[in-house]
Amino acid sequence: MKAFTVAVIAGDGIGPEVIEAAIPILDRVAAKHSFAIRWERLPYSAAHYLKTKETLPDAAFRRLQNDVDAIFLGALGDPRVPGNEHARDILLGLRFKLDLYVNFRPVELLHPDLTPLRNPGSIDFVIFRENTEGQYLGRGRSSGDEHVAEEVNTGKGVERIIRAAFEWAKAHGKTRVTMSDKSNAIPTHRIWQDKFRAIAREYAELTAEHRYVDALALELVREPQRFQVIVTNNLYGDILSDLGAGLVGGLGTAASANLHPGRRHALFEPVHGSAPAIAGKGVANPVAAVLTGGLMFEHLGYPAASADLKQAVRTVLASRTRTPDLGGEARTTAVARALADLV
Ligand code: NAD
Ligand code: IPM
Ligand code: MN
């Protein structure tokens, strides 16, 4: 049987709860599709950082770079580390150093009553969030009362994320790609306009449209059904992916993949964070972690295993076995058991 090695960084808060709930479900689906996962649990987290001063040591990074088939991450963030240094090194560090320039974040309504919208129709779009540039590089300077944050937009970086969005749209039978920037206020965003226009010409069969990010936020609330593929920078992608999650049930169900198309390196994490207020209470929603595992299985070459997971999630959500974030009373373990029974 084919076996893959997956490094697990469960992290902080609800991270370990949702990851450990998801793993047995993922094992069952894998077995059904005749493959197996060797889970390799790594300790890197706020607790580990506070104890050892170590975020992600070089040797561990090299192992993640060379010896594993994927990385499965829970969440990083802890009130005891207010500057979030460990998350910067581990999560952002892996995105940057493995050059995972695509942060792929699907937004799909899996049950009609999960949306706060009145007439939702079918909500099904994906966000291609640039993942290696923008303000996230943390460049800039602070002196006295002045704090300057620089935003990096390189021709190469902008071009490759836009191209990835068009390529994915074409491969998945989509008809429209929407690019979002703030070029009316930020002169350097011109690079997004120029690259988008040039690349769109290569995909004449697709409709290429642009929205300023403020207007897009409004339109996503009013008429999310019209969007298929949204491509944007790192910061706007971060914000719009939480907004997107809010349209279809919230952070408890939102999955994401950090990828470099054509390469093996990849990191999979729910969109949500460590949710300190509910950590340790046994009520975190494991659905986001399970669907994130599905994205990982697609990357490993098993789209049918991912489809099985999504179908099980639809069925469980419809059965009203839901955690409190979705208005239910089920605990993490009850939702996980219901999912495991279905797969
Ligand atoms: P958060 O996603 O942790 O929580 C936002 C809200 O959503 C909270 O009400 C929380 O209870 C709820 N929520 C999130 N996931 C849930 C789940 N699976 N089930 C039920 N409810 C859920 O965002 P935050 O409060 O802004 O951040 C908390 C910490 O997490 C911060 O330190 C932040 O930096 C970090 N964070 C990490 C990641 C990551 O590692 N990928 C992502 C986002 C935030
Ligand atoms: C996410 C998170 C991270 C981000 C934080 C924890 C650095 O919000 O994955 O969406 O901003 O990318
Ligand atoms: Mn975020």
Side-chain angles (χ1 to χ4, degrees):
M1 199 193 302
K2 187 140 178 61
F4 299 93
T5 302
V6 172
V8 177
I9 302 178
D12 309 326
I14 63 166
E17 298 172 44
V18 297
I19 291 289
E20 294 304 334
I23 283 177
I25 301 163
L26 300 179
D27 280 336
R28 277 177 85 112
V29 174
K32 182 180 158 200
H33 290 267
S34 303
F35 67 101
I37 305 290
R38 282 185 299 262
W39 305 98
E40 196 174 297
R41 290 172 174 78
L42 303 180
Y44 307 111
S45 60
H48 183 82
Y49 172 62
L50 290 166
K51 199 159 62 192
T52 63
K53 286 283 150 240
E54 191 174 73
T55 55
L56 181 66
D58 285 344
F61 172 73
R62 278 195 301 278
R63 178 144 178 71
L64 295 175
Q65 184 176 37
N66 300 319
D67 304 330
V68 305
D69 295 298
I71 305 167
F72 191 39
L73 187 144
L76 292 164
D78 187 301
R80 294 170 299 170
V81 187
N84 223 15
E85 303 87 82
H86 68 306
R88 242 204 108 68
D89 282 6
I90 301 168
L91 178 59
L92 301 184
L94 285 167
R95 289 175 183 168
F96 297 160
K97 289 200 280 183
L98 296 177
D99 202 26
L100 305 174
Y101 68 90
V102 173
N103 196 325
F104 177 82
R105 297 189 151 181
V107 175
E108 186 178 355
L109 185 57
L110 296 174
H111 189 278
D113 76 10
L114 291 176
T115 182
L117 304 181
R118 265 195 307 267
N119 302 304
S122 157
I123 304 175
D124 185 8
F125 62 89
V126 301
I127 296 174
F128 275 75
R129 167 187 177 189
E130 202 294 320
N131 214 23
T132 54
E133 300 194 337
Q135 299 204 30
Y136 274 67
L137 291 182
R139 292 203 195 155
R141 57 183 193 280
S142 278
S143 57
D145 200 29
E146 192 176 66
H147 305 274
V148 179
E150 291 175 359
E151 185 190 290
V152 177
N153 297 280
T154 69
K156 174 189 162 199
V158 173
E159 183 166 337
R160 67 184 184 171
I161 187 68
I162 291 175
R163 199 173 284 288
F166 276 103
E167 277 298 312
W168 188 90
K170 189 171 142 186
H172 291 81
K174 305 295 181 188
T175 56
R176 186 201 307 265
V177 176
T178 308
M179 187 276 280
S180 190
D181 65 14
K182 192 63 193 166
S183 51
N184 52 347
I186 302 174
T188 50
H189 281 195
R190 221 203 135 100
I191 182 87
W192 284 84
Q193 296 282 328
D194 293 347
K195 291 290 181 191
F196 187 64
R197 228 174 286 127
I199 294 166
R201 279 199 287 274
E202 297 174 31
Y203 297 85
E205 71 278 23
L206 299 177
T207 302
E209 63 177 18
H210 168 261
R211 292 288 187 278
Y212 297 119
V213 69
D214 48 352
L216 178 59
L218 176 135
E219 214 173 334
L220 278 172
V221 173
R222 285 227 173 119
E223 208 189 343
Q225 310 81 7
R226 69 177 300 288
F227 295 98
Q228 300 181 3
V229 179
I230 292 171
V231 59
T232 189
N233 71 24
N234 205 338
L235 181 60
Y236 302 162
D238 178 47
I239 298 166
L240 293 176
S241 57
D242 274 34
L243 191 159
L247 297 173
V248 296
L251 288 166
T253 65
S256 87
N258 299 260
L259 307 164
H260 184 126
R263 281 198 198 162
R264 181 170 73 120
H265 294 144
L267 181 153
F268 301 85
E269 38 143 6
V271 174
H272 67 72
S274 54
I278 60 163
K281 301 202 160 101
V283 295
N285 192 341
V287 165
V290 169
L291 293 174
T292 295
L295 295 179
M296 180 165 73
F297 286 174
E298 281 176 43
H299 177 73
L300 295 175
Y302 295 86
S306 177
D308 278 359
L309 288 165
K310 203 195 276 184
Q311 190 47 48
V313 165
R314 282 185 198 274
T315 305
V316 167
L317 292 174
S319 79
R320 299 296 189 278
T321 304
R322 297 178 177 182
T323 43
D325 56 304
L326 300 180
E329 286 171 3
R331 300 179 62 77
T332 309
T333 46
V335 174
R337 215 175 308 119
L339 287 167
D341 285 347
L342 281 164
V343 299

